[in-house]
Amino acid sequence: MLDQPAKDVRRLMRTTTEAARKSTSPASSAAPAPDSAALLDDVVRWLDDAKAEEIVSLPLKGKSALGDFMVVASGRNDRHVGAIAEQLREKLKARGEARVRVEGLSACDWVLIDTGDVIVHVFRPEVREFYNLEKMWQAEIPPDASRGDSSQH
């Protein structure tokens, strides 16, 4: 059973990475756009309206050029995860967000909704616990990590 989520994570990461390459350069997107904070507020409110559980938002500034914010939430089961994702997609469409990409709706273990500025992950609780994205993205990046200090190799 873990093989399918592992395949999904590789596909989701590949899709997100490809989308990042097609977007603006990291230098031009260093500070979150004013609209991305408003979009984040809307997304969190809509997730709450859809009865998503354990909603966590994480700023990505200085950690990744994939987006400005990441939101992680849980649904009670696969049907709930799918319903949350569909509701969120419809509300984003009604808001006028044209670049919304949705991945993982076929299995509904983990659904990724990528708006460009805000990346939303909706998980079943067991899958969320297994991947533990919050822990990975909350970690601080050492200041010299980007320079690739070769003296320690």
Side-chain angles (χ1 to χ4, degrees):
M1 184 74 185
L2 291 179
D3 287 339
Q4 184 61 36
K7 289 178 185 174
D8 289 343
V9 85
R10 285 192 297 270
R11 188 182 75 242
L12 290 172
M13 294 305 285
R14 184 179 61 245
T15 302
T16 304
T17 304
E18 289 168 359
R21 279 191 214 124
K22 293 177 185 174
S23 66
T24 60
S25 70
S28 65
S29 62
D35 193 43
S36 66
L39 176 59
L40 173 68
D41 291 341
D42 287 344
V43 165
V44 170
R45 187 178 75 252
W46 294 332
L47 288 169
D48 189 53
D49 291 348
K51 306 292 188 233
E53 300 174 349
E54 299 180 49
I55 303 166
V56 175
S57 63
L58 304 165
L60 297 179
K61 182 180 177 185
K63 295 180 182 177
S64 175
L66 294 175
D68 295 334
F69 299 99
M70 179 182 295
V71 179
V72 181
S74 295
R76 291 181 297 277
N77 53 46
D78 59 345
R79 290 183 66 178
H80 189 215
V81 168
I84 291 168
E86 287 289 348
Q87 287 179 39
L88 187 57
R89 178 168 56 179
E90 289 301 314
K91 294 195 184 232
L92 288 164
K93 184 178 176 184
R95 187 182 191 268
E97 297 295 324
R99 303 184 320 158
V100 177
R101 293 174 51 113
V102 179
E103 297 285 337
L105 270 175
S106 59
C108 293
D109 284 334
W110 174 2
V111 179
L112 173 107
I113 302 110
D114 185 354
T115 69
D117 292 332
V118 178
I119 302 165
V120 182
H121 299 273
V122 184
F123 290 99
R124 282 189 311 109
E126 310 83 47
V127 178
R128 181 177 182 171
E129 184 178 338
F130 179 80
Y131 289 108
N132 204 359
L133 288 183
E134 297 98 318
K135 183 177 179 182
M136 179 175 69
W137 285 98
Q138 285 176 341
E140 292 298 318
I141 298 173
D144 62 346
S146 62
R147 289 186 292 193
D149 186 8
S150 60
S151 63
Q152 297 179 358
H153 297 286

